[in-house]
Amino acid sequence: MLKATWFVLAGMAIVFATLSVLVLVMSALNRWLRPGPEVRPGAGGRPGARHA
Amino acid sequence: MPEGELLGVLALTWQATVMLGIGGLLIYLGIARQVEPVLLVPIGMGIILANIPLGGLTDADGFLAVLKRAGIDTELFPLLIFIGVGAMIDFGSLLERPYTVFLGAAAQFGIFGAFFLAYFLGDGGLRLFDFSFEDAVSIGIIGSADGPTSIYVATVLRSRYAPAIVVAAYSYMALVPIIQPPIMRALTTDAERRLAMPARTQKVSPRTRLLFPVVTILVTGLIAPKATPLIGTLMFGNLLRESGVLERLSQAAQNELANIVTILLGLTVGGMMLARDFLQPETIMIYVMGVVAFAVGTAAGVLFGKLMYVASGKRINPLIGAAGISAFPMSARVVQKVGLEANPHNHLIMHAAGANTAGQIASVVAGGAVLALVPFFA
């Protein structure tokens, strides 16, 4: 049963390791690819438009 | 009357009669009780077709034998099903709540817990049942709560109990609303169950959603390469969904492909349930192990949820850990229901869906992990 115990530990370690790397990579990607702040309607792009 | 026409009746054994009854029962459960009808009806019909004496459907060139060689022995059917499953799943709830991935990972302990028990009862300890190391692993994989992964692993490991394992895996998925709630209530306090979680989530860009299937294949394939066929087909289906330009293919994967393969898979699995192989004490024990696998997976998910409850400063409801088993979307619905019982304003469904989709990926990774590890341990 000792080898069964090691099998369980190794299996769970692979599952946690794989998903940890996946979540790290995806979090980094999401931070990198995050959409920029939305332009508020009416703000326009012209200087001074906000105070017009 | 020609003698041959009566030979079927004369050749009918009590074992075959029992199997015909089981086939009828599955069809009844599917149609009258609506228990996983999509699978139980084809499986039930497959059992009946295979166990009619002298029907010849499981002979070398019989219809069911040909389907088995083409779709199960080659591991083709579960992989094709996964393309459809991937196209159906929205991983957005997981990407918006990345922490739920660990609940999916924790719930896979059900696989390993059931394996440990099966191996202890079999060749590894008491020798009460004829379970080899590979059989015990295949039985444990019922805990993945994932039919295609169960079929894939049991087939690759050449377990003689593959048909019983597959039927158990699909049957227990329908029983998730019965198996999970008592365990969830037993392991959590009323205060924990009442905890409402904020709707605020991390924003996910469309490009992240698009990259997710590709990144998942790369990460999983490079760490657990044996999981590549399963994760590859699952994520290919998801790429069809998320690409935004393959709507026709995505719909075909979700509907035509998934439906056709489900019919063929169900009939074939039913056709593998022959009386001489199925009516053994080991089969009954496999069904018991199935409950153990689902129960241990649920308990592990909830206990990990409790750990996150404490670590997060009481901001994560431990109930969502139960959705870490990949019975999608049943276990997420169960979490929502138990949460609402404790607090009528507590909507946990999206958080649970994150854990649930994480469980889908985690169960595939666990399947790949056991396939990679078996040669070193068996």
Side-chain angles (χ1 to χ4, degrees), chain B residues 90-98 100 209 350-351 353-355 357:
Chain B
D90 179 358
F91 285 103
S93 48
L94 167 63
L95 292 168
E96 288 165 0
R97 301 163 189 83
T100 56
R209 293 174 71 105
M350 289 312 290
H351 303 279
T357 49

Side-chain angles (χ1 to χ4, degrees), chain B:
Chain B
M1 185 179 287
E3 192 185 351
E5 287 183 22
L6 277 175
L7 278 178
V9 175
L10 295 175
L12 193 63
T13 60
W14 72 265
Q15 292 94 336
T17 309
V18 170
M19 293 309 296
L20 293 176
I22 292 174
L25 178 67
L26 293 188
I27 292 174
Y28 167 77
L29 287 174
I31 296 173
R33 301 283 176 175
Q34 304 261 311
V35 177
E36 293 281 327
V38 172
L39 272 154
L40 291 196
V41 173
I43 289 175
M45 185 53 76
I47 296 172
I48 291 176
L49 291 175
N51 286 283
I52 289 185
L54 311 178
L57 278 88
T58 54
D59 292 348
D61 293 323
F63 170 60
L64 294 174
V66 170
L67 283 181
K68 179 175 176 291
R69 278 202 302 278
I72 301 286
D73 294 349
T74 60
E75 297 123 27
L76 184 65
F77 285 166
L79 298 181
L80 289 177
I81 287 270
F82 254 18
I83 296 178
V85 172
M88 287 177 208
I89 295 182
D90 179 358
F91 285 103
S93 48
L94 167 63
L95 292 168
E96 288 165 0
R97 301 163 189 83
Y99 64 87
T100 56
V101 87
F102 298 109
L103 296 169
Q108 303 315 309
F109 191 70
I111 294 175
F112 295 99
F115 150 76
F116 197 84
L117 190 56
Y119 190 54
F120 177 68
L121 293 173
D123 292 359
L126 301 179
R127 295 187 181 274
L128 294 173
F129 297 92
D130 188 13
F131 294 147
S132 65
F133 194 93
E134 288 87 347
D135 291 330
V137 172
S138 303
I139 292 166
I141 210 76
I142 296 173
S144 70
D146 183 350
T149 302
S150 302
I151 298 170
Y152 187 82
V153 171
T155 309
V156 171
L157 293 179
R158 306 265 173 236
S159 172
R160 82 196 91 161
Y161 304 114
I165 288 165
V166 173
V167 174
Y170 278 113
S171 309
Y172 286 129
M173 259 186 276
L175 297 179
V176 159
I178 297 167
I179 297 171
Q180 286 202 302
I183 299 164
M184 293 159 71
R185 291 190 197 103
L187 293 177
T188 52
T189 64
D190 198 40
E192 287 168 348
R193 288 195 295 278
R194 277 203 308 268
L195 178 68
M197 291 180 69
R200 187 170 53 84
T201 56
Q202 185 175 315
K203 274 189 179 174
V204 178
S205 76
R207 281 184 292 181
T208 306
R209 293 174 71 105
L210 184 61
L211 281 173
F212 176 68
V214 179
V215 171
T216 304
I217 291 174
L218 291 175
V219 170
T220 308
L222 291 174
I223 298 178
K226 293 281 186 188
T228 307
L230 289 166
I231 204 77
T233 47
L234 182 76
M235 288 300 153
F236 170 63
N238 192 247
L239 184 63
L240 295 180
R241 176 195 180 94
E242 298 295 344
S243 69
V245 295
L246 296 168
E247 185 58 24
R248 201 158 53 88
L249 296 190
S250 173
Q251 288 300 324
Q254 291 180 49
N255 299 300
E256 288 87 351
L257 179 66
N259 291 341
I260 290 169
V261 182
T262 299
I263 291 171
L264 299 178
L265 181 65
L267 277 174
T268 313
V269 168
M272 291 161 69
M273 294 168 66
L274 294 168
R276 65 169 184 273
D277 303 325
F278 199 76
L279 294 177
Q280 302 170 6
E282 280 77 8
T283 307
I284 296 163
M285 186 45 64
I286 286 168
Y287 278 83
V288 176
M289 290 285 127
V291 180
V292 171
F294 271 59
V296 173
T298 303
V302 173
L303 290 174
F304 202 86
K306 283 172 81 87
L307 189 67
M308 291 176 88
Y309 169 80
V310 174
S312 67
K314 300 184 179 179
R315 282 186 295 179
I316 292 174
N317 189 319
L319 286 179
I320 65 170
I325 69 165
S326 79
F328 186 86
M330 283 84 82
S331 54
R333 287 185 192 143
V334 169
V335 169
Q336 165 80 349
K337 187 168 169 281
V338 176
L340 280 176
E341 281 170 11
N343 174 359
H345 305 291
N346 194 3
H347 295 281
L348 298 171
I349 186 79
M350 289 312 290
H351 303 279
N356 214 180
T357 49
Q360 181 72 57
I361 296 173
S363 67
V364 171
V365 173
V370 297
L371 288 178
L373 292 171
V374 160
F376 297 101
F377 288 89

